[in-house]
Amino acid sequence: MSSTTVAIGSDHAGFRLKEVLKAAMQGQGIEVLDVGTMTTDSCDYPAIAQDLCRAVLSRGVPGVLVCGTGIGMSMAANRFPGIRAAVCANAYQCEMTRRHNDCNVLCLGERVTGDGAALQILDFFLNTEFEGGRHQRRVDLMDPAS
Ligand code: RB5
């Protein structure tokens, strides 16, 4: 997945790592659409996740969400049909969720994952292609028939 634009968002607990990831992407010439938060003041992660998901769905770009654990962000993001958010704590998880699940929102925990590992995970997220084939069928099956 090579994209020239990436959306990013965090709550207060992920703000510092968000800034690290944003700077790294901008350094690679990627346009970063930052939906906030812009300070370490306490805020509610679901609102940020929702803004990020709307940007991902309307613009067709990948997204990155950071909170303390990555978990709350992923739960909120996965309530949107068409969003496939995955919390990744290592590069292998990220490579596989791109190859097999066509993950379009990477969730990271600033309190869980160090900067170096987070940057490596981000690299896999941005540069691993979805394999399609049988995995496309399974991705299509994720949304239950109503
Ligand atoms: C904030 O303290 C923390 O709950 C939040 O960042 C996140 O980890 C929730 O899942």
Side-chain angles (χ1 to χ4, degrees), residues 11-14 42-43 45 66-75 109 111:
D11 70 356
H12 55 287
S42 183
C43 65
Y45 62 82
V66 191
C67 63
T69 61
I71 296 171
M73 285 295 197
S74 69
M75 289 179 171
R111 296 171 178 164

Side-chain angles (χ1 to χ4, degrees), residues 140-146:
D140 291 342
L141 287 167
M142 282 187 193
D143 291 321
S146 52

Side-chain angles (χ1 to χ4, degrees), residues 9-141:
S10 77
D11 70 356
H12 55 287
F15 172 75
R16 191 196 58 76
L17 180 56
K18 170 171 74 74
E19 295 303 303
V20 169
L21 301 176
K22 183 166 70 172
M25 288 191 281
Q26 289 170 334
Q28 295 170 32
I30 295 171
E31 181 187 354
V32 180
L33 173 63
D34 189 344
V35 302
T37 185
M38 300 303 181
T39 74
T40 54
D41 294 347
S42 183
C43 65
D44 298 329
Y45 62 82
I48 301 290
Q50 289 157 13
D51 286 347
L52 185 286
C53 289
R54 291 186 185 105
V56 166
L57 292 170
S58 66
R59 293 170 175 252
V61 299
V64 179
L65 284 168
V66 191
C67 63
T69 61
I71 296 171
M73 285 295 197
S74 69
M75 289 179 171
N78 277 320
R79 295 187 173 224
F80 283 73
I83 293 292
R84 293 174 300 281
V87 190
C88 295
N90 58 58
Y92 178 75
Q93 287 178 309
C94 191
E95 179 182 0
M96 297 314 290
T97 199
R98 280 293 310 132
R99 286 171 55 182
H100 288 189
N101 313 128
D102 200 16
C103 170
N104 57 4
V105 175
L106 169 65
C107 299
L108 293 164
E110 182 183 311
R111 296 171 178 164
V112 177
T113 305
D115 290 3
L119 288 164
Q120 183 187 38
I121 292 166
L122 177 67
D123 193 50
F124 275 87
F125 179 61
L126 297 177
N127 295 300
T128 304
E129 296 301 323
F130 177 50
E131 289 181 6
R134 68 187 186 281
H135 300 296
Q136 182 64 62
R137 182 180 73 249
R138 293 164 183 168
V139 166
D140 291 342
L141 287 167

